[in-house]
């Protein structure tokens, strides 16, 4: 809050955006998603005013994450997946625009999680496969493993135990980055 005040007093919109983002991240970690959303929306507004495409993508991703969290059944709130999907799609669009492969992988993974939660498992698989490929390209083994686990969950939900086992096994091997995916 103090950083926000200082940046606002100085008229530093870029600094204010960073402060809003950081504050939103703190609220996320505390589970205070309404406050996190307000902070990330302020960050998004500032990024738009500044024409900061990277900032717009980052703020959109943060907002998508918050809306995903609000949609979880144990939160007992109205589903917010449509909002989450819209923000993650914006994040993915900008990541593609600026050729940010890590951003593409992250946004794709988040979209896959949203579609899985909506029961749209085939659509989720598409995003997780793309996400896995991006994580492989940037040599992020943790991301590859996350994508493999998500693919296992999708195939499990579709009743395809063989593919579910295949993807979960790939998530536990150190060579998962080098292993080629099963034909889908």
């Amino acid at each position: 809050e103090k950083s926000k005040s200082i940046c606002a007093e100085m008229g530093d919109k870029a600094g204010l955006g960073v402060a809003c983002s950081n504050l939103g991240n703190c609220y996320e970690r505390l589970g205070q998603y309404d406050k996190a959303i307000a902070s990330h929306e302020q960050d998004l507004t500032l990024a738009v005013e500044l024409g900061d495409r990277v900032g717009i993508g980052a703020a959109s991703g943060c907002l998508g994450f918050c809306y995903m969290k609000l949609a979880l059944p144990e939160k007992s709130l109205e589903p917010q997946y449509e909002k989450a999907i819209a923000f993650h799609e914006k994040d993915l669009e900008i990541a593609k625009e600026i050729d940010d492969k890590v951003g593409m992988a992250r946004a794709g993974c988040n979209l896959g999680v949203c579609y899985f939660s909506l029961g749209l498992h085939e659509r989720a698989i598409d995003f997780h496969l793309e996400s896995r490929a991006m994580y492989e390209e940037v040599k992020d083994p943790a991301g590859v493993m996350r994508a493999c686990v998500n693919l296992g969950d999708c195939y499990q939900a579709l009743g395809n135990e063989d593919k579910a086992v295949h993807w979960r096994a790939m998530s536990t091997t150190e060579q998962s980055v080098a292993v080629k995916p099963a034909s889908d």
Side-chain angles (χ1 to χ4, degrees), residues 20-172:
C20 290
S21 178
N22 289 337
L23 187 58
N25 292 339
C26 290
Y27 284 132
E28 280 175 33
R29 284 170 184 81
L30 293 171
Q32 297 178 15
Y33 297 108
D34 291 334
K35 288 182 179 180
I37 287 169
S39 291
H40 290 307
E41 284 176 341
Q42 189 176 6
D43 178 28
L44 179 60
T45 299
L46 291 163
V48 168
E49 285 177 16
L50 294 169
D52 176 8
R53 299 294 287 159
V54 174
I56 293 168
S60 295
C62 290
L63 283 162
F65 180 80
C66 288
Y67 282 110
M68 275 175 34
K69 287 298 200 177
L70 283 175
L72 293 174
E74 57 265 29
K75 299 290 182 196
S76 302
L77 296 171
E78 285 293 310
Q80 299 289 328
Y81 287 113
E82 292 79 15
K83 287 181 183 177
I85 287 169
F87 282 115
H88 289 309
E89 285 175 341
K90 185 65 167 177
D91 187 19
L92 181 60
E93 172 192 323
I94 292 171
K96 285 179 177 179
E97 229 176 74
I98 62 174
D99 198 34
D100 174 9
K101 297 203 185 324
V102 173
M104 287 185 259
R106 181 192 61 244
C109 181
N110 288 335
L111 282 162
V113 169
C114 287
Y115 284 115
F116 176 86
S117 298
L118 291 170
L120 301 170
H121 303 114
E122 296 287 347
R123 183 88 169 113
I125 287 169
D126 293 340
F127 279 105
H128 290 309
L129 285 170
E130 289 175 27
S131 178
R132 181 182 185 275
M134 287 290 124
Y135 281 128
E136 279 185 338
E137 193 172 328
V138 298
K139 302 195 182 340
D140 179 346
V144 171
M145 286 188 246
R146 244 187 335 273
C148 290
V149 168
N150 290 340
L151 284 160
D153 291 346
C154 289
Y155 283 111
Q156 173 102 32
L158 290 171
N160 189 330
E161 293 299 320
D162 290 340
K163 283 190 177 180
V165 167
H166 167 79
W167 285 109
R168 288 195 179 116
M170 289 195 45
S171 74
T172 61

